[in-house]
Amino acid sequence: MPGMETTTVLNSLEIAGRPQDTRVVVAMSGGVDSSVTAALLKAEGYDVVGVTLQLYDHGAATHRKGACCAGQDIYDARSVAERIGIPHYVLDYERRFKEMVIDRFAESYVAGETPVPCVECNQSIKFRDLLETARQLGAKVLATGHYIASRAVAQGGRGLFRARDAERDQSYFLFATTREQLDLLRFPLGDKTKAETRELARRFGLSVADKQDSQDICFVPSGRYTEVIERLKPGAAEPGDIVDLDGRVLGRHSGIIHFTVGQRRGLGIAAGHPLYVVRLDAVARRVVVGPREALRTSRMRLRDVNWLGEDTIDHALCAGWHEVFVKVRSTRPPQPAWLSRGAGGIEVDLVAGEDGVSPGQACVFYDAAEGQARVLGGGFIQSAVTAAQALPTRREARVPSNAGRM
């Protein structure tokens, strides 16, 4: 009637329109999570199209337990698609994956960093290239089996939130997702546990219901990443010195790619006390070792920061400091920290410090320490300052007001 306002009805994916009129591309890796995602959406009546990316074929990797996006997984994804009655396509992304993920992984290790290839894969392959493919197929959204939640937020657009199942939460690997990508991404498993997902797989009669989960570094055939690096970067394993904090030579090593910050075993040094890898000097080919207390990091400088909080990061830092909770490793809980802009870019001061922080790792920001906290963004660690090196004037006596919730 004239003058009456019409209300837009949203479906379960928070998109206007009926499910049957909404095409959804599901990234199907061949595992139980993405398979259940496709089955759930199909059961709700959506026009589902399954897409599997062939990312690599390293012989042994195609048959190794824990590998993904290779031979067996493509077969499993196709079988699931046939079971639930959806079209399925396999796209050859091998060259792109090698350039954007594997090569960068090798370059990062040679530079003495500890890279996180899953972040690069999500950022460059799945949420950029595959998202464009989904658009070309006429899809309104791309859905994945990641354990993370996406919801509309008050200021407009969508926000990322930690999964309900804290042990399965994958937000650490998805911090680089952009606001524009979030508008077109959906994560149906964000509020489910792994046990619930496997039970759904059994109800749908999926052959992958009890399939083993894939490993983080999925493209390493033997599980030994140094083999991949040496094959891609001949001569990368150049020998050098193992030195203490004062530069005294304690021994020799066969290449810094065999070491990571925080490592204790395999140093090949006879000492009267435990020694840990404190720093890797790629230019001088030196492995710097020291006592455990030398691993304690108080401040980090970040690069390639992606902000997903309200407004802009500059607005958040308008008062000089912004309290957040951060994760520097996927398996560690968020801890209180202060975010600021220093002379060299965005810096993070850790209230309690952190052991074993290495350049190349991701540092992800959250608005709370527990529960389904919102992901505020993150960046890659460019450099780290130990607690002993930090200037007292930069060590804030304040503690984030909600730190007591940890």
Side-chain angles (χ1 to χ4, degrees):
M1 294 179 62
M4 293 184 63
E5 295 183 359
T6 58
T7 302
T8 301
V9 178
L10 303 181
N11 55 39
S12 63
L13 294 178
E14 299 182 328
I15 297 173
R18 302 178 305 169
Q20 57 264 44
D21 300 325
T22 305
R23 172 162 291 182
V24 181
V25 164
V26 177
M28 300 181 68
S29 67
V32 63
D33 300 325
S34 59
S35 297
V36 168
T37 296
L40 280 172
L41 294 174
K42 174 64 176 178
E44 290 184 35
Y46 287 97
D47 177 13
V48 178
V49 176
V51 172
T52 299
L53 304 182
Q54 181 173 319
L55 299 181
Y56 63 88
D57 183 3
H58 291 331
T62 61
H63 304 291
R64 180 175 63 85
K65 288 185 178 181
C68 76
C69 309
Q72 181 62 43
D73 297 295
I74 293 173
Y75 173 82
D76 289 341
R78 182 180 292 117
S79 297
V80 169
E82 291 177 355
R83 168 71 181 177
I84 62 179
I86 64 171
H88 177 254
Y89 301 97
V90 178
L91 305 181
D92 185 354
Y93 274 37
E94 282 193 44
R95 182 179 63 82
R96 182 68 171 165
F97 185 72
K98 180 180 181 301
E99 293 174 353
M100 300 304 296
V101 180
I102 300 179
D103 287 349
R104 291 189 179 185
F105 171 83
E107 290 167 1
S108 183
Y109 256 107
V110 171
E113 298 182 336
T114 303
V116 189
C118 289
V119 175
E120 189 67 59
C121 182
N122 290 326
Q123 181 181 18
S124 301
I125 305 297
K126 295 177 181 175
F127 294 166
R128 187 170 66 192
D129 294 351
L130 181 54
L131 198 52
E132 180 58 33
T133 297
R135 292 193 187 98
Q136 294 172 358
L137 290 172
K140 294 183 178 179
V141 298
L142 169 67
T144 78
H146 287 102
Y147 285 88
I148 191 170
S150 166
R151 307 188 190 109
V153 291
Q155 67 271 23
R158 303 184 69 79
L160 273 182
F161 298 82
R162 295 186 69 193
R164 180 167 70 90
D165 188 341
E167 292 185 2
R168 293 289 173 175
D169 174 60
Q170 293 175 293
S171 60
Y172 180 82
F173 303 104
L174 299 173
F175 79 87
T177 308
T178 67
R179 296 176 189 270
E180 293 74 21
Q181 291 169 344
L182 277 180
D183 289 339
L184 301 172
L185 289 168
R186 296 296 185 271
F187 310 100
L189 303 186
D191 292 317
K192 299 186 184 301
T193 65
K194 187 72 175 191
E196 291 171 342
T197 297
R198 289 199 183 278
E199 179 58 31
L200 283 169
R202 297 185 186 98
R203 292 182 186 178
F204 286 122
L206 305 184
S207 59
V208 296
D210 297 307
K211 185 176 180 179
Q212 181 181 1
D213 290 336
S214 63
Q215 304 299 316
D216 285 346
I217 306 179
C218 61
F219 55 84
V220 180
S222 64
R224 294 188 293 273
Y225 60 83
T226 53
E227 293 182 354
V228 174
I229 298 169
E230 290 175 322
R231 186 180 71 248
L232 295 174
K233 300 285 184 180
E238 295 185 73
D241 292 328
I242 299 177
V243 302
D244 64 15
L245 297 175
D246 296 320
R248 289 190 295 264
V249 177
L250 304 179
R252 295 282 288 174
H253 65 77
S254 58
I256 66 170
I257 64 172
H258 298 287
F259 300 87
T260 57
V261 173
Q263 178 178 334
R264 176 185 174 185
R265 298 182 183 277
L267 300 183
I269 300 173
H273 57 280
L275 290 174
Y276 299 80
V277 176
V278 175
R279 187 170 65 256
L280 297 174
D281 186 342
V283 175
R285 301 198 303 274
R286 296 196 308 176
V287 175
V288 183
V289 298
R292 184 178 179 86
E293 54 265 27
L295 287 172
R296 203 67 177 169
T297 296
S298 64
R299 185 184 309 137
M300 301 170 290
R301 179 173 296 163
L302 308 182
R303 60 173 172 82
D304 301 327
V305 173
N306 181 52
W307 182 252
L308 293 174
E310 296 183 19
D311 298 310
T312 65
I313 192 168
D314 288 330
H315 184 271
L317 299 177
C318 62
W321 293 82
H322 186 67
E323 58 183 88
V324 293
F325 291 84
V326 303
K327 292 180 70 168
V328 294
R329 291 190 181 179
S330 62
T331 56
R332 296 184 181 178
Q335 64 157 297
W338 292 100
L339 197 64
S340 66
R341 185 178 293 282
I346 301 300
E347 296 183 354
V348 176
D349 276 60
L350 302 167
V351 172
E354 182 73 75
D355 286 345
V357 174
S358 171
Q361 290 175 323
C363 176
V364 184
F365 321 141
Y366 301 88
D367 69 353
E370 299 175 340
Q372 291 190 269
R374 182 175 178 179
V375 181
L376 301 178
F380 293 99
I381 299 171
Q382 179 173 306
S383 60
V385 178
T386 65
Q389 295 171 316
L391 296 175
T393 54
R394 290 296 305 277
R395 299 288 295 166
E396 290 288 312
R398 298 178 297 171
V399 173
S401 57
N402 49 1
R405 285 186 285 170
M406 289 194 70

